[in-house]
Amino acid sequence: MAGGLSRRLILAFAAAVPFAAPVSAQPAADFYKGKTVTLVVSSSPAGGYDIMARTIAKYLGRHIPGNPRLIVSNMPGAGGIVAMNYFYRNAPKDGTFVAGMQNNTPFEPLLGTREAQYDATKFNWLGSPSTEVGLIAVWKTAPANSVADLKRREISVGSSGANSTPSFYARLINETLGTKMKIVVGYPGQNEVYLAMERGEVDGFPSLFYNTLNATKPNWRSEKNIKLILQYGLEKEPAIPEVPSALDLVTNPEDRLLLQAGLAEVSLGRPYLMPPGVPADRVALIRKAFADTFQDQGFLAEARKLSLGVTAPKTGLEIQKLVEDTYRAPPKVIDRLRKLSLH
């Protein structure tokens, strides 16, 4: 029964009183028996977040006492903000609704996005199966082989729009490392930028994630079609130690704080949450179920088969801390971050 939530269901939930009192004191271990847990994905079907969520759903119920039935529904819109708003104010708070969110959504209020009407620190974060690492990648013919080259000469990088994720990361790296990437916008999506690189229209792509590279273009590295110039994230990708990390290269303390705040969403990977107000024992139980799922050998085997990039999972408490720490960044840093994001 995968698919979008019915109109009637959404309207019924939308009428719910925000932050309703937690329901019943029924022990969490008994609560889920015979229940259905809905896993909402904040993006469209068939994308990376959706495939990951549906793979998790196959195994998650086995690790929840009572073995509830799992169904997956999609609630796309505004880059994940529609689902975040819904889960903040209207989603049931009994522990039967969980969500897989895009990793940019926790920080949209911080960046001043008016549509983001939620406090990301109030959600019950459940965990993430992976930690993403971003890459600055250029085509083999591009006149750049190092970060020093990116500082010396201008290279063009493709992006969909001025306010898109690739454009943001290109501006962030330019701002903190002094590189000279020229952002060329207007490409519908990542695949179109790939083709533009192959045709020589642009030199590279500023937001190629390591897991995505392995899943979509594994031959690019084996055939040496691209050069990986820089990796960025709060953690390094151990599989590519030869690629320098942005955090190792930044020297100015304020620039480092800016880079850390800007890279927080990368390290979230593909995070999962429950609404505010869910009883604490149910939150703890579902957090453990996610952690156990991420170690499930069946899940890991299927994730490898699908090239989902399940690496360095994060616990719900780790995500909670990362979100809270980012929101505690100095006002000057947040102001610079908002200017870079064009909000």
Side-chain angles (χ1 to χ4, degrees), residues 22 38-40 136 142 151 157 176 183 217 229 237 246 249 252 264 283 299:
T38 300
L39 198 170
V40 174
I136 305 293
K151 293 180 180 181
V157 292
T176 55
I183 304 167
K217 292 289 185 180
I229 306 296
E237 173 49 60
L249 299 179
N252 182 287
V283 172
F299 168 72

Side-chain angles (χ1 to χ4, degrees), residues 27-44:
D30 299 329
F31 171 77
Y32 285 100
K33 186 175 182 180
K35 295 287 196 307
T36 294
V37 173
T38 300
L39 198 170
V40 174
V41 186
S42 68
S43 57
S44 300

Side-chain angles (χ1 to χ4, degrees), residues 13-247:
F13 292 151
V17 178
F19 305 109
V23 291
S24 89
Q26 182 181 4
D30 299 329
F31 171 77
Y32 285 100
K33 186 175 182 180
K35 295 287 196 307
T36 294
V37 173
T38 300
L39 198 170
V40 174
V41 186
S42 68
S43 57
S44 300
Y49 284 93
D50 180 69
I51 295 170
M52 177 69 82
R54 293 176 189 277
T55 305
I56 288 172
K58 292 182 182 180
Y59 299 90
L60 182 62
R62 304 175 190 178
H63 299 284
I64 302 175
N67 304 123
R69 176 171 171 258
L70 265 289
I71 62 171
V72 180
S73 294
N74 296 83
M75 190 182 288
I81 292 175
V82 168
M84 285 288 277
N85 283 338
Y86 169 72
F87 264 74
Y88 189 64
R89 297 196 174 277
N90 303 119
K93 296 170 173 39
D94 62 354
T96 61
F97 266 55
V98 300
M101 296 293 183
Q102 284 135 288
N103 58 15
N104 62 292
T105 54
F107 307 111
E108 292 297 336
L110 186 70
L111 297 176
T113 305
R114 291 188 300 274
E115 296 82 2
Q117 299 295 311
Y118 49 83
D119 182 343
T121 67
K122 302 290 194 212
F123 288 104
N124 290 295
W125 295 98
L126 302 173
S128 173
S130 62
T131 298
E132 296 284 4
V133 172
L135 300 167
I136 305 293
V138 300
W139 196 246
K140 58 187 176 183
T141 55
N145 297 294
S146 66
V147 176
D149 288 341
L150 296 186
K151 293 180 180 181
R152 280 194 295 264
R153 61 172 61 95
E154 182 181 270
I155 70 160
S156 59
V157 292
S159 182
S160 55
N163 204 27
S164 66
T165 295
S167 294
F168 169 74
Y169 283 122
R171 289 192 294 269
L172 179 66
I173 299 300
N174 283 345
E175 174 82 2
T176 55
L177 296 187
T179 53
K180 298 179 180 179
M181 287 180 283
K182 177 185 177 182
I183 304 167
V184 180
V185 300
Y187 295 98
Q190 190 165 303
N191 288 332
E192 287 77 13
V193 177
Y194 290 169
L195 291 173
M197 289 168 62
E198 293 174 343
R199 291 193 297 258
E201 292 177 12
V202 295
D203 294 311
F205 187 48
S207 184
L208 179 57
F209 292 101
Y210 183 74
N211 291 329
T212 302
L213 172 62
N214 289 335
T216 61
K217 292 289 185 180
N219 63 304
W220 271 8
R221 290 186 67 204
S222 62
E223 297 173 4
K224 298 184 178 179
N225 289 326
I226 60 169
K227 294 176 282 189
L228 304 182
I229 306 296
L230 181 74
Q231 60 171 299
Y232 54 85
L234 298 183
E235 295 92 8
K236 299 178 187 177
E237 173 49 60
I240 48 173
E242 73 282 2
V243 181
S245 171
L247 278 174

